[in-house]
Amino acid sequence: MTVGGDLSTLRTLHTTLKNSAEDITRIAGDITSSLDNAVWTGRNSETFRGQWQDFKPTLTPNLVNALDAAKEDVKNQHNNLAAATGEDDRI
């Protein structure tokens, strides 16, 4: 197995993973809150609410956990690579 990377692209990936996990958590909360407070009835309402109840547990926490785990791995690889090459750059 080959291990390596480019510090700047690893930093960018780390930021993207971090921001995406935060965005997904916020969006899921916003949708749930709005649905809970909305006066919306009918077949489409029932369909969406059911789909949201099925989808949300996969979105959060599963996807967020996967993004967080990848973010930490990228951080570790970035910092280890920087240390091995004598760079001061750390996440």
Side-chain angles (χ1 to χ4, degrees):
M1 175 168 84
T2 303
V3 177
D6 174 74
L7 293 178
S8 66
T9 60
L10 289 174
R11 179 177 287 281
T12 299
L13 178 57
H14 178 269
T15 299
T16 298
L17 294 168
K18 177 182 175 288
N19 291 344
S20 295
E22 291 170 356
D23 290 347
I24 289 166
T25 300
R26 180 189 50 77
I27 290 166
D30 290 350
I31 291 170
T32 298
S33 178
S34 291
L35 277 175
D36 289 348
N37 293 314
V39 178
W40 178 34
T41 60
R43 184 173 36 146
N44 290 336
S45 166
E46 293 169 12
T47 299
F48 181 78
R49 289 173 194 270
Q51 290 171 336
W52 181 244
Q53 288 304 103
D54 291 341
F55 181 68
K56 185 182 176 202
T58 302
L59 181 67
T60 58
N62 294 350
L63 179 55
V64 170
N65 288 343
L67 291 167
D68 284 341
K71 174 193 74 173
E72 288 305 308
D73 184 69
V74 168
K75 175 184 172 181
N76 290 336
Q77 186 168 347
H78 174 280
N79 291 345
N80 291 342
L81 181 61
T85 59
E87 298 288 332
D88 292 330
D89 187 23
R90 300 292 187 279
I91 296 176

PDB file of all heavy atoms in Angstrom, residues 3-5 7 10-11 13-14 17 68-84 89-91:
ATOM      1  N   VAL A   3       1.340   5.218   0.695  1.00  0.00           N
ATOM      2  CA  VAL A   3       0.794   6.300   1.497  1.00  0.00           C
ATOM      3  C   VAL A   3       1.501   7.571   1.090  1.00  0.00           C
ATOM      4  O   VAL A   3       2.721   7.599   0.957  1.00  0.00           O
ATOM      5  CB  VAL A   3       0.999   6.046   3.006  1.00  0.00           C
ATOM      6  CG1 VAL A   3       0.492   7.215   3.814  1.00  0.00           C
ATOM      7  CG2 VAL A   3       0.311   4.757   3.427  1.00  0.00           C
ATOM      8  N   GLY A   4       0.739   8.607   0.868  1.00  0.00           N
ATOM      9  CA  GLY A   4       1.322   9.885   0.494  1.00  0.00           C
ATOM     10  C   GLY A   4       0.224  10.884   0.220  1.00  0.00           C
ATOM     11  O   GLY A   4      -0.947  10.594   0.378  1.00  0.00           O
ATOM     12  N   GLY A   5       0.628  12.031  -0.201  1.00  0.00           N
ATOM     13  CA  GLY A   5      -0.352  13.051  -0.519  1.00  0.00           C
ATOM     14  C   GLY A   5       0.316  14.391  -0.705  1.00  0.00           C
ATOM     15  O   GLY A   5       1.518  14.549  -0.517  1.00  0.00           O
ATOM     16  N   LEU A   7       0.132  18.267   0.574  1.00  0.00           N
ATOM     17  CA  LEU A   7      -0.353  18.985   1.754  1.00  0.00           C
ATOM     18  C   LEU A   7      -1.500  19.936   1.440  1.00  0.00           C
ATOM     19  O   LEU A   7      -2.494  19.964   2.172  1.00  0.00           O
ATOM     20  CB  LEU A   7       0.794  19.732   2.432  1.00  0.00           C
ATOM     21  CG  LEU A   7       1.880  18.858   3.066  1.00  0.00           C
ATOM     22  CD1 LEU A   7       2.974  19.734   3.655  1.00  0.00           C
ATOM     23  CD2 LEU A   7       1.301  17.933   4.112  1.00  0.00           C
ATOM     24  N   LEU A  10      -4.690  17.952   0.643  1.00  0.00           N
ATOM     25  CA  LEU A  10      -5.199  17.306   1.852  1.00  0.00           C
ATOM     26  C   LEU A  10      -5.876  18.326   2.762  1.00  0.00           C
ATOM     27  O   LEU A  10      -6.917  18.052   3.365  1.00  0.00           O
ATOM     28  CB  LEU A  10      -4.071  16.590   2.598  1.00  0.00           C
ATOM     29  CG  LEU A  10      -3.530  15.324   1.939  1.00  0.00           C
ATOM     30  CD1 LEU A  10      -2.316  14.807   2.703  1.00  0.00           C
ATOM     31  CD2 LEU A  10      -4.603  14.254   1.829  1.00  0.00           C
ATOM     32  N   ARG A  11      -5.303  19.519   2.867  1.00  0.00           N
ATOM     33  CA  ARG A  11      -5.929  20.580   3.672  1.00  0.00           C
ATOM     34  C   ARG A  11      -7.293  20.943   3.096  1.00  0.00           C
ATOM     35  O   ARG A  11      -8.276  21.091   3.827  1.00  0.00           O
ATOM     36  CB  ARG A  11      -5.027  21.805   3.740  1.00  0.00           C
ATOM     37  CG  ARG A  11      -5.645  22.960   4.541  1.00  0.00           C
ATOM     38  CD  ARG A  11      -4.700  24.141   4.660  1.00  0.00           C
ATOM     39  NE  ARG A  11      -3.617  23.858   5.584  1.00  0.00           N
ATOM     40  CZ  ARG A  11      -3.726  23.902   6.908  1.00  0.00           C
ATOM     41  NH1 ARG A  11      -4.886  24.184   7.463  1.00  0.00           N
ATOM     42  NH2 ARG A  11      -2.690  23.668   7.672  1.00  0.00           N
ATOM     43  N   LEU A  13      -9.250  19.045   1.211  1.00  0.00           N
ATOM     44  CA  LEU A  13     -10.162  17.927   1.446  1.00  0.00           C
ATOM     45  C   LEU A  13     -10.643  17.920   2.888  1.00  0.00           C
ATOM     46  O   LEU A  13     -11.836  17.716   3.158  1.00  0.00           O
ATOM     47  CB  LEU A  13      -9.474  16.606   1.098  1.00  0.00           C
ATOM     48  CG  LEU A  13     -10.285  15.336   1.340  1.00  0.00           C
ATOM     49  CD1 LEU A  13     -11.607  15.360   0.576  1.00  0.00           C
ATOM     50  CD2 LEU A  13      -9.462  14.114   0.961  1.00  0.00           C
ATOM     51  N   HIS A  14      -9.754  18.148   3.832  1.00  0.00           N
ATOM     52  CA  HIS A  14     -10.127  18.203   5.252  1.00  0.00           C
ATOM     53  C   HIS A  14     -11.196  19.267   5.484  1.00  0.00           C
ATOM     54  O   HIS A  14     -12.211  19.015   6.149  1.00  0.00           O
ATOM     55  CB  HIS A  14      -8.881  18.492   6.102  1.00  0.00           C
ATOM     56  CG  HIS A  14      -9.177  18.618   7.550  1.00  0.00           C
ATOM     57  ND1 HIS A  14      -9.470  19.828   8.137  1.00  0.00           N
ATOM     58  CD2 HIS A  14      -9.231  17.691   8.540  1.00  0.00           C
ATOM     59  CE1 HIS A  14      -9.688  19.644   9.416  1.00  0.00           C
ATOM     60  NE2 HIS A  14      -9.548  18.345   9.692  1.00  0.00           N
ATOM     61  N   LEU A  17     -14.587  18.141   3.926  1.00  0.00           N
ATOM     62  CA  LEU A  17     -15.250  17.113   4.730  1.00  0.00           C
ATOM     63  C   LEU A  17     -15.842  17.709   6.003  1.00  0.00           C
ATOM     64  O   LEU A  17     -16.982  17.397   6.380  1.00  0.00           O
ATOM     65  CB  LEU A  17     -14.259  15.994   5.069  1.00  0.00           C
ATOM     66  CG  LEU A  17     -13.755  15.169   3.888  1.00  0.00           C
ATOM     67  CD1 LEU A  17     -12.577  14.298   4.315  1.00  0.00           C
ATOM     68  CD2 LEU A  17     -14.868  14.330   3.282  1.00  0.00           C
ATOM     69  N   ASP A  68     -16.765  12.612   9.226  1.00  0.00           N
ATOM     70  CA  ASP A  68     -15.875  12.943  10.346  1.00  0.00           C
ATOM     71  C   ASP A  68     -14.690  11.983  10.427  1.00  0.00           C
ATOM     72  O   ASP A  68     -13.555  12.406  10.684  1.00  0.00           O
ATOM     73  CB  ASP A  68     -16.641  12.941  11.668  1.00  0.00           C
ATOM     74  CG  ASP A  68     -17.519  14.172  11.852  1.00  0.00           C
ATOM     75  OD1 ASP A  68     -17.277  15.195  11.165  1.00  0.00           O
ATOM     76  OD2 ASP A  68     -18.445  14.113  12.681  1.00  0.00           O
ATOM     77  N   ALA A  69     -14.933  10.704  10.198  1.00  0.00           N
ATOM     78  CA  ALA A  69     -13.844   9.725  10.236  1.00  0.00           C
ATOM     79  C   ALA A  69     -12.849   9.989   9.110  1.00  0.00           C
ATOM     80  O   ALA A  69     -11.627   9.948   9.320  1.00  0.00           O
ATOM     81  CB  ALA A  69     -14.403   8.307  10.136  1.00  0.00           C
ATOM     82  N   ALA A  70     -13.357  10.275   7.927  1.00  0.00           N
ATOM     83  CA  ALA A  70     -12.469  10.587   6.798  1.00  0.00           C
ATOM     84  C   ALA A  70     -11.693  11.865   7.068  1.00  0.00           C
ATOM     85  O   ALA A  70     -10.492  11.944   6.784  1.00  0.00           O
ATOM     86  CB  ALA A  70     -13.281  10.708   5.510  1.00  0.00           C
ATOM     87  N   LYS A  71     -12.358  12.850   7.639  1.00  0.00           N
ATOM     88  CA  LYS A  71     -11.702  14.125   7.970  1.00  0.00           C
ATOM     89  C   LYS A  71     -10.534  13.901   8.920  1.00  0.00           C
ATOM     90  O   LYS A  71      -9.446  14.452   8.727  1.00  0.00           O
ATOM     91  CB  LYS A  71     -12.728  15.080   8.593  1.00  0.00           C
ATOM     92  CG  LYS A  71     -12.152  16.378   9.118  1.00  0.00           C
ATOM     93  CD  LYS A  71     -13.150  17.120   9.977  1.00  0.00           C
ATOM     94  CE  LYS A  71     -13.255  16.412  11.293  1.00  0.00           C
ATOM     95  NZ  LYS A  71     -14.030  17.041  12.313  1.00  0.00           N
ATOM     96  N   GLU A  72     -10.744  13.085   9.948  1.00  0.00           N
ATOM     97  CA  GLU A  72      -9.676  12.811  10.907  1.00  0.00           C
ATOM     98  C   GLU A  72      -8.524  12.048  10.266  1.00  0.00           C
ATOM     99  O   GLU A  72      -7.359  12.307  10.569  1.00  0.00           O
ATOM    100  CB  GLU A  72     -10.226  12.056  12.117  1.00  0.00           C
ATOM    101  CG  GLU A  72     -11.078  12.927  13.026  1.00  0.00           C
ATOM    102  CD  GLU A  72     -10.348  14.177  13.508  1.00  0.00           C
ATOM    103  OE1 GLU A  72      -9.227  14.058  14.038  1.00  0.00           O
ATOM    104  OE2 GLU A  72     -10.894  15.283  13.353  1.00  0.00           O
ATOM    105  N   ASP A  73      -8.827  11.114   9.377  1.00  0.00           N
ATOM    106  CA  ASP A  73      -7.773  10.380   8.686  1.00  0.00           C
ATOM    107  C   ASP A  73      -6.955  11.310   7.797  1.00  0.00           C
ATOM    108  O   ASP A  73      -5.718  11.239   7.781  1.00  0.00           O
ATOM    109  CB  ASP A  73      -8.365   9.241   7.856  1.00  0.00           C
ATOM    110  CG  ASP A  73      -7.271   8.411   7.213  1.00  0.00           C
ATOM    111  OD1 ASP A  73      -6.547   7.713   7.944  1.00  0.00           O
ATOM    112  OD2 ASP A  73      -7.123   8.500   5.970  1.00  0.00           O
ATOM    113  N   VAL A  74      -7.637  12.187   7.075  1.00  0.00           N
ATOM    114  CA  VAL A  74      -6.939  13.150   6.216  1.00  0.00           C
ATOM    115  C   VAL A  74      -6.070  14.073   7.062  1.00  0.00           C
ATOM    116  O   VAL A  74      -4.922  14.356   6.708  1.00  0.00           O
ATOM    117  CB  VAL A  74      -7.952  13.954   5.360  1.00  0.00           C
ATOM    118  CG1 VAL A  74      -7.291  15.144   4.684  1.00  0.00           C
ATOM    119  CG2 VAL A  74      -8.606  13.036   4.330  1.00  0.00           C
ATOM    120  N   LYS A  75      -6.587  14.519   8.195  1.00  0.00           N
ATOM    121  CA  LYS A  75      -5.816  15.376   9.107  1.00  0.00           C
ATOM    122  C   LYS A  75      -4.551  14.661   9.565  1.00  0.00           C
ATOM    123  O   LYS A  75      -3.452  15.229   9.527  1.00  0.00           O
ATOM    124  CB  LYS A  75      -6.680  15.752  10.306  1.00  0.00           C
ATOM    125  CG  LYS A  75      -5.947  16.544  11.373  1.00  0.00           C
ATOM    126  CD  LYS A  75      -6.867  16.791  12.562  1.00  0.00           C
ATOM    127  CE  LYS A  75      -6.121  17.408  13.714  1.00  0.00           C
ATOM    128  NZ  LYS A  75      -7.007  17.622  14.878  1.00  0.00           N
ATOM    129  N   ASN A  76      -4.709  13.409  10.010  1.00  0.00           N
ATOM    130  CA  ASN A  76      -3.551  12.651  10.473  1.00  0.00           C
ATOM    131  C   ASN A  76      -2.533  12.441   9.354  1.00  0.00           C
ATOM    132  O   ASN A  76      -1.326  12.593   9.564  1.00  0.00           O
ATOM    133  CB  ASN A  76      -3.986  11.304  11.047  1.00  0.00           C
ATOM    134  CG  ASN A  76      -4.723  11.447  12.355  1.00  0.00           C
ATOM    135  OD1 ASN A  76      -4.556  12.429  13.075  1.00  0.00           O
ATOM    136  ND2 ASN A  76      -5.564  10.480  12.663  1.00  0.00           N
ATOM    137  N   GLN A  77      -3.020  12.084   8.173  1.00  0.00           N
ATOM    138  CA  GLN A  77      -2.101  11.867   7.056  1.00  0.00           C
ATOM    139  C   GLN A  77      -1.387  13.165   6.689  1.00  0.00           C
ATOM    140  O   GLN A  77      -0.177  13.170   6.462  1.00  0.00           O
ATOM    141  CB  GLN A  77      -2.836  11.305   5.835  1.00  0.00           C
ATOM    142  CG  GLN A  77      -1.873  10.940   4.725  1.00  0.00           C
ATOM    143  CD  GLN A  77      -2.518  10.123   3.631  1.00  0.00           C
ATOM    144  OE1 GLN A  77      -3.610   9.620   3.780  1.00  0.00           O
ATOM    145  NE2 GLN A  77      -1.825   9.995   2.528  1.00  0.00           N
ATOM    146  N   HIS A  78      -2.114  14.263   6.657  1.00  0.00           N
ATOM    147  CA  HIS A  78      -1.524  15.566   6.358  1.00  0.00           C
ATOM    148  C   HIS A  78      -0.432  15.895   7.370  1.00  0.00           C
ATOM    149  O   HIS A  78       0.695  16.244   6.993  1.00  0.00           O
ATOM    150  CB  HIS A  78      -2.610  16.645   6.371  1.00  0.00           C
ATOM    151  CG  HIS A  78      -2.091  18.036   6.225  1.00  0.00           C
ATOM    152  ND1 HIS A  78      -1.539  18.738   7.285  1.00  0.00           N
ATOM    153  CD2 HIS A  78      -2.025  18.851   5.148  1.00  0.00           C
ATOM    154  CE1 HIS A  78      -1.163  19.929   6.865  1.00  0.00           C
ATOM    155  NE2 HIS A  78      -1.451  20.028   5.574  1.00  0.00           N
ATOM    156  N   ASN A  79      -0.764  15.787   8.651  1.00  0.00           N
ATOM    157  CA  ASN A  79       0.191  16.167   9.690  1.00  0.00           C
ATOM    158  C   ASN A  79       1.396  15.235   9.730  1.00  0.00           C
ATOM    159  O   ASN A  79       2.523  15.684   9.943  1.00  0.00           O
ATOM    160  CB  ASN A  79      -0.504  16.236  11.044  1.00  0.00           C
ATOM    161  CG  ASN A  79      -1.486  17.400  11.114  1.00  0.00           C
ATOM    162  OD1 ASN A  79      -1.460  18.309  10.286  1.00  0.00           O
ATOM    163  ND2 ASN A  79      -2.366  17.355  12.084  1.00  0.00           N
ATOM    164  N   ASN A  80       1.171  13.950   9.521  1.00  0.00           N
ATOM    165  CA  ASN A  80       2.286  13.000   9.483  1.00  0.00           C
ATOM    166  C   ASN A  80       3.191  13.253   8.285  1.00  0.00           C
ATOM    167  O   ASN A  80       4.418  13.191   8.401  1.00  0.00           O
ATOM    168  CB  ASN A  80       1.771  11.563   9.465  1.00  0.00           C
ATOM    169  CG  ASN A  80       1.139  11.156  10.770  1.00  0.00           C
ATOM    170  OD1 ASN A  80       1.348  11.777  11.807  1.00  0.00           O
ATOM    171  ND2 ASN A  80       0.326  10.110  10.723  1.00  0.00           N
ATOM    172  N   LEU A  81       2.592  13.543   7.137  1.00  0.00           N
ATOM    173  CA  LEU A  81       3.367  13.844   5.937  1.00  0.00           C
ATOM    174  C   LEU A  81       4.175  15.131   6.133  1.00  0.00           C
ATOM    175  O   LEU A  81       5.355  15.197   5.776  1.00  0.00           O
ATOM    176  CB  LEU A  81       2.453  13.959   4.717  1.00  0.00           C
ATOM    177  CG  LEU A  81       3.111  14.238   3.381  1.00  0.00           C
ATOM    178  CD1 LEU A  81       4.082  13.116   3.004  1.00  0.00           C
ATOM    179  CD2 LEU A  81       2.050  14.389   2.293  1.00  0.00           C
ATOM    180  N   ALA A  82       3.545  16.135   6.722  1.00  0.00           N
ATOM    181  CA  ALA A  82       4.249  17.385   6.986  1.00  0.00           C
ATOM    182  C   ALA A  82       5.435  17.155   7.928  1.00  0.00           C
ATOM    183  O   ALA A  82       6.533  17.659   7.693  1.00  0.00           O
ATOM    184  CB  ALA A  82       3.291  18.421   7.576  1.00  0.00           C
ATOM    185  N   ALA A  83       5.217  16.384   8.973  1.00  0.00           N
ATOM    186  CA  ALA A  83       6.296  16.099   9.922  1.00  0.00           C
ATOM    187  C   ALA A  83       7.426  15.315   9.253  1.00  0.00           C
ATOM    188  O   ALA A  83       8.604  15.601   9.477  1.00  0.00           O
ATOM    189  CB  ALA A  83       5.750  15.324  11.114  1.00  0.00           C
ATOM    190  N   ALA A  84       7.067  14.359   8.415  1.00  0.00           N
ATOM    191  CA  ALA A  84       8.075  13.518   7.759  1.00  0.00           C
ATOM    192  C   ALA A  84       8.914  14.299   6.752  1.00  0.00           C
ATOM    193  O   ALA A  84      10.073  13.958   6.506  1.00  0.00           O
ATOM    194  CB  ALA A  84       7.400  12.339   7.056  1.00  0.00           C
ATOM    195  N   ASP A  89       3.555  23.043   8.388  1.00  0.00           N
ATOM    196  CA  ASP A  89       2.124  23.087   8.150  1.00  0.00           C
ATOM    197  C   ASP A  89       1.402  21.975   8.914  1.00  0.00           C
ATOM    198  O   ASP A  89       1.734  20.800   8.767  1.00  0.00           O
ATOM    199  CB  ASP A  89       1.844  22.946   6.647  1.00  0.00           C
ATOM    200  CG  ASP A  89       0.395  23.144   6.289  1.00  0.00           C
ATOM    201  OD1 ASP A  89      -0.338  23.795   7.072  1.00  0.00           O
ATOM    202  OD2 ASP A  89      -0.033  22.649   5.225  1.00  0.00           O
ATOM    203  N   ARG A  90       0.431  22.320   9.763  1.00  0.00           N
ATOM    204  CA  ARG A  90      -0.384  21.347  10.492  1.00  0.00           C
ATOM    205  C   ARG A  90      -1.845  21.783  10.442  1.00  0.00           C
ATOM    206  O   ARG A  90      -2.145  22.967  10.397  1.00  0.00           O
ATOM    207  CB  ARG A  90       0.039  21.242  11.970  1.00  0.00           C
ATOM    208  CG  ARG A  90       1.469  20.810  12.210  1.00  0.00           C
ATOM    209  CD  ARG A  90       1.708  19.373  11.798  1.00  0.00           C
ATOM    210  NE  ARG A  90       3.022  18.893  12.169  1.00  0.00           N
ATOM    211  CZ  ARG A  90       4.145  19.114  11.491  1.00  0.00           C
ATOM    212  NH1 ARG A  90       4.127  19.840  10.395  1.00  0.00           N
ATOM    213  NH2 ARG A  90       5.303  18.636  11.902  1.00  0.00           N
ATOM    214  N   ILE A  91      -2.702  20.803  10.455  1.00  0.00           N
ATOM    215  CA  ILE A  91      -4.146  21.078  10.521  1.00  0.00           C
ATOM    216  C   ILE A  91      -4.546  20.955  11.970  1.00  0.00           C
ATOM    217  O   ILE A  91      -4.210  20.032  12.651  1.00  0.00           O
ATOM    218  CB  ILE A  91      -4.955  20.080   9.651  1.00  0.00           C
ATOM    219  CG1 ILE A  91      -4.606  20.245   8.179  1.00  0.00           C
ATOM    220  CG2 ILE A  91      -6.449  20.274   9.868  1.00  0.00           C
ATOM    221  CD1 ILE A  91      -5.271  19.234   7.249  1.00  0.00           C
TER     222      ILE A  91
END
